[in-house]
Amino acid sequence: MQIVIRKFKPSDHEAVRAIFRDGLHEHINPSFIFAVSQPFHITLMLCCCAVGYWLGGESVGVALLAGCCWIGLVYVCCYEFYSRYVRMRLRTDMQDITASYLSHPDNCFWVAEVEMNGRPQVVGTVAVEAKKHPENGQKYAELVRLYVSSAARRTGLGSRLGQTAENFCKERGLYRIVLDTTSPQRAALALYKKMGYRLIQKHEGTDHPWWVVRLSRIKFIRWRKSCNRNLMFIHFRHDYLPCLYLQLTC
């Protein structure tokens, strides 16, 4: 399979949006299975069954219905977690990719293209968005939109897309790359670890309602990797140690 990685073109818009949407929606079921297998949810499901059994006049059917309602609520939370994010992004940066990623010299958006049945088809995406550190003013990159369609998995395409983004960051003098992923994305977690990214934080910071995050049991995981020979900024909480600047090399 001959795969070509190139910059985004407006004609790729619908294919890119479909890969983005499908790539996130496929994590709904794994996140639901993980959530309902946790002791917290198992305990609450049994409590719902017990309450349903008691309120239903010792009816086993009502008890099972109560338990199923709780499981259904957990699924709705997992579905809403990813669907809400998709809806939000399709209305913001993914609505006009050219303006969001190609109108600034330090931003970029790439697609992976392969010829299938005589027609070119987009099978992967990745993007870089440059940001400025609020304290030291240095520019760094956030890697986003790294998705590979099911038709091109197990081909090393994810690593190639990630390396393309890293090479761009080095050329632009961006001193490090950060990215966020979610805990159910097992393949992505393995990929970033293999590529040399270091896990620096697990958090629940999100625009989702708190109860959706708590019931879905999904956490965000932040990764970081140095990508340039610039000064590497390491920030400790100011109430413990002052900020240090260390000269690092890749």
Side-chain angles (χ1 to χ4, degrees), residues 115-132:
E115 188 169 311
M116 290 185 176
N117 300 321
R119 299 182 60 183
Q121 181 175 335
V122 175
V123 293
T125 67
V126 69
V128 165
E129 182 179 5
K131 296 186 176 181
K132 185 174 289 187

Side-chain angles (χ1 to χ4, degrees), residues 1-6 12 19 111-124 148-149 151-153 155 157 160:
M1 181 182 291
Q2 186 66 32
I3 301 177
V4 177
I5 298 177
R6 58 169 175 77
D12 303 322
I19 289 176
V111 301
E113 185 180 74
V114 64
E115 188 169 311
M116 290 185 176
N117 300 321
R119 299 182 60 183
Q121 181 175 335
V122 175
V123 293
V148 176
S149 73
R153 290 177 186 167
T155 62
L157 179 56
R160 287 183 58 190

Side-chain angles (χ1 to χ4, degrees), residues 1 4 33 37 40 53 55 63 70 78 83 104 110 115 121 166 195 204 208 226 234 236:
M1 181 182 291
V4 177
I33 293 172
S37 65
F40 173 77
Y53 183 76
L55 293 178
W70 176 257
C78 294
S83 293
H104 191 285
W110 298 267
E115 188 169 311
Q121 181 175 335
E166 285 188 31
M195 293 180 64
E204 295 180 349
H208 295 74
S226 173
I234 302 180
F236 298 89

Side-chain angles (χ1 to χ4, degrees), residues 140-204:
Y140 67 96
E142 184 170 3
L143 189 148
V144 295
R145 312 295 171 258
L146 177 50
Y147 299 101
V148 176
S149 73
S150 57
R153 290 177 186 167
R154 302 183 184 278
T155 62
L157 179 56
S159 297
R160 287 183 58 190
L161 287 167
Q163 190 60 54
T164 298
E166 285 188 31
N167 293 340
F168 174 83
C169 293
K170 291 177 182 179
E171 292 173 2
R172 300 303 304 173
L174 305 174
Y175 77 105
R176 75 180 179 196
I177 304 174
V178 299
L179 61 92
D180 283 310
T181 186
T182 57
S183 50
Q185 295 177 258
R186 301 298 182 185
L189 299 179
L191 172 64
Y192 297 136
K193 186 176 181 179
K194 179 181 178 181
M195 293 180 64
Y197 284 85
R198 184 165 62 90
L199 191 156
I200 59 173
Q201 185 185 18
K202 293 183 179 181
H203 62 94
E204 295 180 349

Side-chain angles (χ1 to χ4, degrees), residues 46-64 66-67:
L46 293 175
C47 289
C48 288
C49 290
V51 171
Y53 183 76
W54 177 62
L55 293 178
E58 301 183 353
S59 169
V60 175
V62 175
L64 292 176

Side-chain angles (χ1 to χ4, degrees), residues 194-238:
K194 179 181 178 181
M195 293 180 64
Y197 284 85
R198 184 165 62 90
L199 191 156
I200 59 173
Q201 185 185 18
K202 293 183 179 181
H203 62 94
E204 295 180 349
T206 173
D207 295 329
H208 295 74
W210 67 269
W211 54 274
V212 170
V213 178
R214 292 294 178 86
L215 293 184
S216 66
R217 314 296 285 181
I218 298 172
K219 289 186 178 296
F220 282 95
I221 300 176
R222 172 149 286 209
W223 302 78
R224 183 174 68 193
K225 182 178 182 179
S226 173
C227 66
N228 214 310
R229 294 183 176 181
N230 294 341
L231 288 176
M232 176 68 179
F233 178 79
I234 302 180
H235 176 69
F236 298 89
R237 285 184 54 185
H238 64 276

